[in-house]
Amino acid sequence: MFVILFLLESRFQLRKRVQGRWKRILINTIVSIPAFALLRLLFIPAMMWLAVQNQQWSFGLNYLFDAPQLAHFAISFLLLDYSNYTWHILLHKFPILWRFHLVHHTDMDLDITTAFRFHFGEMIGSVIFRGAAIILIGVSPMMVLIYEIVFEAATQFHHSNIKLSFRFERMLNYLIVTPRMHGIHHSMIKKETDSNYSIIFSFWDRIHKTVRLNVHQYEIVTGVPHYPDERELTIGHLLKLPFTRIREWKKWQNTRR
Ligand SMILES: [Zn+2]
């Protein structure tokens, strides 16, 4: 998935880049290593272990009633996705969580490498939240794994800088989050950042009226306005950013490029 999207976004570019591509690849790769390793080597196995344990405890929604397996699968998948939509809002609304999620948003370009640029601290918070969701929903171990795989693929897809035909993307967007939709979430304008929180299914934003689609991609300035200097956003600084004093969100003056 990564290789295909990487090649496609090189060939069909949606947003113009403002930074050197290879320098960003280097920064995003190194910043992502701790989070990448923690999630795959520890947290996903831990979440699956939790779901295995929960088969004995029989706790959570799915264990409350008998239904065809497919129905339990659908309930698990939908509610896991809904819980991740909620978690994404919390990341933006709670200052202690925003400190960590900020590292992801300081990227001044948006492409498939941004899909990996997460601070490991954010992963620690998310595994606690996701673990609780798994127990409350009563998700089976297999479904934890399936959801994680689709979640990963969806994250890569909606961060990618691929230019799809507008009509095709609009059709796709009725169901899932697409690159143009998520591009708006990475805008420097606060009300645009405060929209489009969905991960896989786009309808959570529609249901909660947090959806915003009427912004052209060429108008978007990607990043956060209080961290606008790429020379400041080095690998070392990004890793310690959550532990420094976080600046107030500055109103983006030069609103449009
Ligand atoms: Zn976000």
Side-chain angles (χ1 to χ4, degrees), residues 88 92 101 105 185:
H88 192 185
H92 279 263
H101 191 52
H105 275 269
H185 176 68

Side-chain angles (χ1 to χ4, degrees), residues 88 91-92 98 101 104-105 182 185-186 193 197:
H88 192 185
L91 286 171
H92 279 263
W98 171 244
H101 191 52
H104 174 67
H105 275 269
H182 197 70
H185 176 68
H186 278 262
T193 309
Y197 297 103

